[in-house]
Amino acid sequence: LDPVVERIRRRFARSEPRQRAIAYMQGLLSTIKRKNGWQLAEQAGAATPDGMQRLLNTATWDEDGVRDDVRAYASETLSEAEGVLVVDETGFLKKGTKSVGVKRQYSGTAGRIANCQIGVLLGYATSKGRTLIDRELYLPKEWATDQARREEAGVPQSIQFQTKPQLARQMLERAFEADMPAQWVTADSVYGGDRSLRVWLEEHRRWFVLGIAKDETLWRVVEPVRADKLAAQLTVQDWVRLSCGDGAKGPRRYDWALIPLPRWQQTPDVMHALLVRRSLSDGELTYYVVFAAAGVDLASLVRVAGSRWTIEECIEIAKDELGLDEYEVRRWQAWYRHMTLVMLAQAYLNAVCLKANTPPKNAEQPRSDPAVARGSSTSTLSLDLAGDTWC
């Protein structure tokens, strides 16, 4: 972990919280059953969780600076010109009403309305791997306007209500300003259905493949047309069968069709389009709005659309293996600090796995099982980290 320690050293005014943060991350990377304050403290050899709680709640260090270090770390280790920035949200089920931002709201994690917090996350995906690089906590309107609850939870005065797409834009802005090597943005219909986010990306010439609902209206020349009405005009010859990436059961094949949507006075170097995906099992249609360089091929758009699942994998691994949802904090800053250290642990794990998968220069390539070769992501690699087996 020495390179990681050096990377974040300047974010800590004193050595004690820095060493505590490294111990915290080592605990996240360990195989202890739960990654709460008590168990992380025991893993670090402490008698009580006071030190770990102090690290998240009151110690002096720059969690946003560490977030920037995570993004730079991911950029260096996973960098590709055709990288994809992926946005998604996840729920954190909670009891009571004190945890910052908690309310009864829909959670995809639970698949229902539940008492939870919602975090909006940004991932970075390339052929080398994928990892989380940014985080924002969704603060519901009733929280944003309740001064007493804000003060109790330590919500900064500068924080006002923002929608999930607005939080996504905030994270994307930071990635763009940091020159993250990413050519594409993708997300589901929560974000693709936000017209202001799409317009902002277009104004900054950032290519995207964003999910939309079937009733989303899109401009074709000078008239708005619903996505499903456009798809209804497709013929048999318009569909192409392609895989959008390998899943747990092999290639994820669908039928795809691309419908160009020329606009009035559109410049010739860009393309607006509707991308439609058809399930092979039940014929269900899924819709994506596209903004890209003119002449981009269908396979590239399909690859970007398919990369949205990478953030779901990142979130699943972060929850199952790194304790993303096992925190026991209620305040604003503490939530961000826990999320940041989990992201750092995941970025480190990706870097270690990538290095282990990279053979030395001029070394003879060993024979490998084809099934393993097809699934060369970090999830297929077993490593021994500090005596713990990672899969």
Side-chain angles (χ1 to χ4, degrees):
L1 291 177
D2 288 348
V4 175
V5 176
E6 289 304 312
R7 184 177 292 272
I8 67 174
R9 180 181 297 276
R10 68 189 187 281
R11 310 302 184 182
F12 296 81
R14 296 174 53 246
S15 62
E16 188 272 339
R18 182 178 67 248
Q19 293 303 320
R20 188 86 63 184
I22 295 301
Y24 194 96
M25 194 176 82
Q26 288 175 316
L28 297 176
L29 289 165
S30 74
T31 56
I32 56 177
K33 290 184 178 181
R34 284 187 57 80
K35 311 296 172 72
N36 56 34
W38 269 106
Q39 294 213 15
L40 291 174
E42 290 176 356
Q43 177 72 12
T48 71
D50 295 352
M52 294 301 183
Q53 292 172 353
R54 188 162 56 249
L55 171 72
L56 299 182
N57 286 292
T58 60
T60 302
W61 59 283
D62 182 5
E63 64 275 5
D64 285 345
V66 175
R67 173 207 62 204
D68 294 344
D69 294 334
V70 171
R71 184 179 56 237
Y73 193 18
S75 177
E76 292 169 17
T77 54
L78 303 178
S79 176
E80 277 185 352
E82 294 190 354
V84 184
L85 293 169
V86 193
V87 182
D88 200 6
E89 76 270 0
T90 190
F92 303 96
L93 301 180
K94 292 294 172 183
K95 296 180 180 179
T97 61
K98 298 296 185 180
S99 296
V100 59
V102 71
K103 65 166 285 188
R104 286 190 57 79
Q105 55 193 324
Y106 179 77
S107 166
T109 305
R112 54 182 171 83
I113 293 177
N115 197 59
C116 64
Q117 297 166 300
I118 298 292
V120 181
L121 304 173
L122 181 66
Y124 179 58
T126 72
S127 65
K128 298 177 183 178
R130 69 279 305 184
T131 194
L132 299 174
I133 61 169
D134 209 340
R135 71 289 180 263
E136 287 293 342
L137 179 64
Y138 173 69
L139 193 68
K141 286 183 178 179
E142 49 264 62
W143 268 89
T145 57
D146 190 327
Q147 191 59 36
R149 293 182 87 185
R150 290 175 62 105
E151 290 179 1
E152 185 178 8
V155 180
Q157 288 299 317
S158 60
I159 301 299
Q160 302 300 320
F161 171 75
Q162 289 182 293
T163 65
K164 294 168 189 174
Q166 287 172 333
L167 294 175
R169 172 174 167 173
Q170 191 172 307
M171 294 188 291
L172 289 168
E173 280 184 307
R174 289 196 287 260
F176 296 154
E177 290 173 359
D179 293 326
M180 196 75 186
Q183 191 174 36
W184 297 93
V185 175
T186 191
D188 65 19
S189 59
V190 171
Y191 307 92
D194 188 277
R195 193 176 299 275
S196 62
L197 177 61
R198 301 203 311 257
V199 169
W200 175 76
L201 288 169
E202 290 178 13
E203 289 175 346
H204 290 77
R205 294 182 69 85
R206 299 290 181 173
W207 310 144
F208 59 74
V209 179
L210 298 172
I212 55 173
K214 65 180 182 180
D215 60 353
E216 183 76 17
T217 55
L218 304 170
W219 285 95
R220 183 172 61 178
V221 189
V222 294
E223 64 174 349
V225 185
R226 280 174 51 130
D228 56 353
K229 300 297 183 183
L230 289 165
Q233 301 171 18
L234 292 168
T235 66
V236 174
Q237 291 75 22
D238 293 323
W239 296 97
V240 179
R241 186 159 299 178
L242 293 169
S243 169
C244 59
D246 287 347
K249 299 180 181 179
R252 294 176 295 137
R253 292 191 175 90
Y254 297 90
D255 288 335
W256 300 84
L258 186 66
I259 305 173
L261 298 176
R263 294 185 183 178
W264 180 251
Q265 295 184 334
Q266 175 178 304
T267 58
D269 59 333
V270 301
M271 174 185 71
H272 295 87
L274 173 66
L275 179 66
V276 186
R277 187 187 77 188
R278 185 173 66 188
S279 171
L280 302 184
S281 59
D282 58 13
E284 181 181 4
L285 300 183
T286 305
Y287 305 88
Y288 304 85
V289 62
V290 173
F291 175 66
V296 65
D297 63 313
L298 178 61
S300 295
L301 298 176
V302 168
R303 176 186 67 84
V304 176
S307 66
R308 203 196 71 78
W309 70 270
T310 60
I311 194 168
E312 295 178 359
E313 182 190 59
C314 286
I315 293 171
E316 181 181 3
I317 291 173
K319 286 186 175 183
D320 292 347
E321 305 290 351
L322 300 172
L324 184 75
D325 58 346
E326 294 177 0
Y327 56 88
E328 296 175 335
V329 296
R330 291 178 173 177
R331 294 175 63 81
W332 179 269
Q333 187 179 52
W335 185 91
Y336 277 86
R337 287 181 165 184
H338 172 78
M339 293 294 146
T340 303
L341 292 174
V342 171
M343 292 193 312
L344 181 60
Q346 188 174 67
Y348 167 75
L349 181 61
N350 272 276
V352 171
C353 289
L354 181 63
K355 184 176 181 180
N357 270 331
T358 304
K361 291 183 178 180
N362 302 321
E364 181 180 352
Q365 292 288 343
R367 292 180 177 272
S368 61
D369 179 69
V372 174
R374 284 194 301 271
S376 59
S377 70
T378 57
S379 61
T380 65
L381 176 68
S382 294
L383 291 176
D384 188 280
L385 300 179
D388 297 327
T389 300
W390 274 87
C391 297

